[in-house]
Amino acid sequence: MIGVFYVSERGMKMSVFDILGPVMVGPSSSHTAGAVNIGRVARQVFGEKPDKAEITLYGSFADTYKGHGTDRALVAGIMGFKTDDPRIKDALAIADEEGLLIHFSTSKEGTYHPNTVRIKLSNKFQSSEIVGVSIGGGRVRIREVDKFKVDISGIYNTLLCSYPDQMGVIAKVSEILASEKINIATMSVSRDKTYQIALMVVEVDGELPDQAVNQIKAMPYFDTVKAIRKIEL
Amino acid sequence: MTPFQFSTVQELVEKASYEGTTISQIVAQWEVETSNLSREKIFEKMSNNWKVMKKSIEEGLQKEGQTMGGLVNKAAAHMYNAILTGIVPQDRLSKTIYKALAVAEFNASMGCIVAAPTGGSCGIIPAVLSTAQEEYNFNDEQIVWSLFTAAGIGLVIAEKASVSGAEGGCQAECGSAAAMAAAALVELLGGPPQKVATAAALALKNALGLVCDPVGGLVEVPCIKRNSFLAVNSLVAADLAMAGIPSLIPIDEVITAMGEIGRALPESLRERAQGGLAATPTGKKYKNE
Ligand code: SF4
């Protein structure tokens, strides 16, 4: 077979299941399903069970979150639920039972997109923060991770590595991925304001086996290495 | 061999006619070739969509209480009772109406649905196909195949225009769903590919210009009842096409026109909840609640 043919304006290959689907808890693919997916990514970036979630809603998310269940959807995603999980409706009560402390606020600040949310997750040991936008049909983009500007779609298995900026790291990571026969879909590096810390984002085609992730973790460069499992749309 | 590609409905019609098959088979084959999934697997995935659609009709009808935003209260159940008590005749029309309401209301109550093509328009295709199943005894397999035809039409619309209310107004959501449902229905009824395309053209033509002005920004008013109106629109389109009445403007040109109209719509009538019904004195009361 030769490549991929049906590509939308956004450059993504389309499938019949983009038109009839996703199977989702309503009411809105952007305000509900997309919110679940942003929550899921936030949880994976954090990497473990959080004790506390501080959520700031912007734009249309801020205006209409209650009637769209955006609040429940975000919390459901943070707890790892998928977009079709009937428990989404009761997510706030479930979070309460599980001892997950939630704080919502809204902001009038201008930001990336009408449907934007900032999620800060924390527990006794660590915290992490992402900014996600919901672009329709349940599809999302992560635009910030711990203040680094990124552009992650979540539909690929993704590797996030932070390290004191130095030369040659990218090549080393590519080498390991190539030796594990993992094809890189996109790769980007952003740096913090001081230009000292870098965050590398690698989206890969297909699986991202633990074995490859562990090899990268074992390299001497990185402060953190996180593998984010793709969202099934 | 280069796999078949399509960017117009006409290409689907020609290929299906040439091969003496249906549009659903052409679309399914295309999906197999571009997705790396087997035919069995994609059929299974589409069967699951159909299962969720049927379940959403049942559960939407039985659900208790108001929608999330509280703007609609058990509309489907009211309609259904009116049928049972004979206030409205029990026929294809009334069944389609209550089923579309049930799914759309279930969606607005955080029930599990299939976006078809979106959450706001999720009641149209299930209502039309479930009623057809009841009326003509189609089996599930036949219905699932017809969903590929619906999706094929939807793919072309998504590519050439849009299926998002924020981009194209409600014509892009409920209008597209109506075109997709009409196409699927004609294929089920045994209409040839050309009539399938005609039904889609007629259904979409009648939805052109429909704006997106949801009260309070919620997917409730006018969305839920609009699902029943547009589902009925599909029935009319399918009947006209089956009767052999053509559409002067072919489907691909209607789709292009829909895209142009969508771009010409002011922002306030594209899901911003700032114009139309949302901006009426009554509508405004529900802002930011
Ligand atoms: S009015 Fe807007 S929100 Fe409601 S169904 Fe139509 S496009 Fe969707």
Side-chain angles (χ1 to χ4, degrees):
Chain A
M1 203 185 324
I2 325 162
V4 155
F5 312 98
Y6 215 83
V7 172
S8 78
E9 328 105 77
R10 292 183 193 86
M12 252 183 243
K13 184 228 168 233
M14 292 198 63
S15 139
V16 292
F17 301 108
D18 294 325
I19 299 294
L20 291 177
V23 173
M24 58 170 240
V25 165
S28 159
S29 59
S30 56
H31 287 63
T32 320
V36 172
N37 285 334
I38 295 172
R40 287 173 63 81
V41 176
R43 166 62 177 268
Q44 295 194 60
V45 170
F46 186 64
E48 54 186 353
K49 206 170 161 198
D51 295 338
K52 191 171 165 199
E54 291 157 81
I55 300 172
T56 314
L57 300 154
Y58 301 86
S60 166
F61 266 11
D63 289 344
T64 64
Y65 74 95
K66 285 221 173 93
H68 283 127
T70 308
D71 47 355
R72 307 178 196 210
L74 288 164
V75 171
I78 291 168
M79 292 192 292
F81 299 179
K82 294 191 171 158
T83 53
D84 61 352
D85 194 319
R87 292 175 300 171
I88 293 172
K89 201 172 173 182
D90 307 315
L92 297 180
I94 296 172
D96 200 42
E97 275 164 34
E98 294 196 349
L100 170 61
L101 210 66
I102 314 249
H103 182 263
F104 279 101
S105 57
T106 58
S107 166
K108 293 224 177 301
E109 245 174 77
T111 174
Y112 300 98
H113 184 275
N115 302 326
T116 300
V117 58
R118 180 182 299 273
I119 303 177
K120 185 176 174 195
L121 299 181
S122 57
N123 63 16
K124 278 194 258 0
F125 311 106
Q126 57 150 338
S127 75
S128 76
E129 188 180 284
I130 65 143
V131 175
V133 303
S134 177
I135 59 174
R139 286 182 286 270
V140 304
R141 291 265 168 196
I142 306 304
R143 303 303 302 274
E144 280 183 29
V145 170
D146 294 330
K147 308 279 182 203
F148 288 100
K149 302 250 187 264
V150 296
D151 191 7
I152 303 171
S153 67
I155 58 168
Y156 298 102
N157 288 311
T158 304
L159 200 59
L160 289 182
C161 314
S162 73
Y163 55 97
D165 198 16
Q166 57 182 295
M167 294 224 297
V169 177
I170 300 174
K172 290 272 173 9
V173 170
S174 321
E175 236 169 64
I176 290 187
L177 293 175
S179 73
E180 292 287 325
K181 300 213 167 24
I182 299 167
N183 195 34
I184 296 175
T186 76
M187 188 173 211
S188 65
V189 177
S190 52
R191 288 182 293 190
D192 69 345
K193 289 205 182 81
T194 64
Y195 286 96
Q196 280 166 6
I197 308 287
L199 181 75
M200 185 192 321
V201 178
V202 188
E203 296 185 310
V204 306
D205 291 326
E207 296 308 311
L208 185 56
D210 288 342
Q211 188 188 326
V213 177
N214 289 338
Q215 278 187 56
I216 292 169
K217 275 187 182 159
M219 295 168 92
Y221 316 110
F222 299 115
D223 296 335
T224 62
V225 174
K226 285 171 182 170
I228 301 183
R229 302 286 160 212
K230 69 175 177 195
I231 300 163
E232 300 282 349
L233 280 179
Chain B
M1 194 185 82
T2 310
F4 166 70
Q5 309 168 41
F6 64 97
S7 59
T8 62
V9 177
Q10 190 52 35
E11 286 167 284
L12 288 174
V13 170
E14 277 166 16
K15 172 112 171 143
S17 307
Y18 179 75
E19 294 188 6
T21 183
T22 55
I23 290 181
S24 56
Q25 294 303 318
I26 302 294
V27 174
Q29 185 56 33
W30 170 84
E31 181 72 19
V32 168
E33 283 167 4
T34 56
S35 71
N36 295 327
L37 297 176
S38 68
R39 194 175 156 87
E40 290 69 36
K41 183 76 201 161
I42 64 160
F43 186 81
E44 187 191 311
K45 278 180 89 171
M46 198 60 100
S47 300
N48 185 53
N49 279 348
W50 177 232
K51 233 169 57 201
V52 175
M53 284 179 178
K54 281 198 296 189
K55 202 159 158 230
S56 64
I57 296 174
E58 261 167 54
E59 294 190 41
L61 184 60
Q62 285 158 8
K63 97 178 180 54
E64 294 297 325
Q66 299 178 338
T67 49
M68 290 289 294
L71 308 186
V72 175
N73 191 1
K74 299 190 72 164
H78 279 104
M79 185 65 199
Y80 189 66
N81 284 336
I83 298 171
L84 290 184
T85 53
I87 295 174
V88 300
Q90 174 169 12
D91 55 17
R92 191 170 73 132
L93 181 70
S94 63
K95 284 183 197 167
T96 305
I97 294 172
Y98 94 75
K99 288 178 182 189
L101 288 174
V103 180
E105 223 180 322
F106 195 47
N107 175 57
S109 313
M110 299 195 84
C112 190
I113 54 91
V114 182
T118 60
S121 56
C122 68
I124 295 166
I125 293 169
V128 169
L129 296 184
S130 156
T131 305
Q133 182 163 45
E134 237 184 83
E135 296 279 302
Y136 306 99
N137 293 317
F138 294 120
N139 61 34
D140 284 336
E141 193 181 329
Q142 289 171 297
I143 305 271
V144 173
W145 281 122
S146 80
L147 286 171
F148 284 95
T149 298
I153 306 290
L155 277 165
V156 175
I157 298 177
E159 177 70 11
K160 288 268 143 88
S162 168
V163 294
S164 140
E167 275 168 16
C170 201
Q171 53 167 6
E173 287 199 10
C174 289
S176 300
M180 292 161 65
L185 181 54
V186 167
E187 184 172 304
L188 277 169
L189 293 171
Q194 186 54 56
K195 285 188 176 175
V196 170
T198 299
L202 293 169
L204 187 57
K205 273 197 312 194
N206 195 46
L208 290 182
L210 205 52
V211 302
C212 173
D213 54 355
V215 169
L218 306 174
V219 196
E220 301 194 7
V221 175
C223 321
I224 292 174
K225 295 182 197 90
R226 180 164 294 161
N227 272 262
S228 54
F229 282 111
L230 272 285
V232 170
N233 182 56
S234 313
L235 299 184
V236 180
D239 284 357
L240 288 166
M242 286 305 287
I245 299 165
S247 170
L248 178 67
I249 314 294
I251 177 66
D252 292 303
E253 293 180 34
V254 179
I255 293 172
T256 307
M258 191 270 268
E260 271 165 28
I261 293 167
R263 283 186 289 278
L265 285 177
E267 281 251 315
S268 63
L269 298 175
R270 286 189 268 141
E271 214 179 278
R272 298 301 184 282
Q274 285 159 354
L277 296 174
T280 56
T282 305
K284 273 191 197 149
K285 284 192 212 150
Y286 296 93
K287 214 169 169 222
N288 294 357
E289 279 203 353

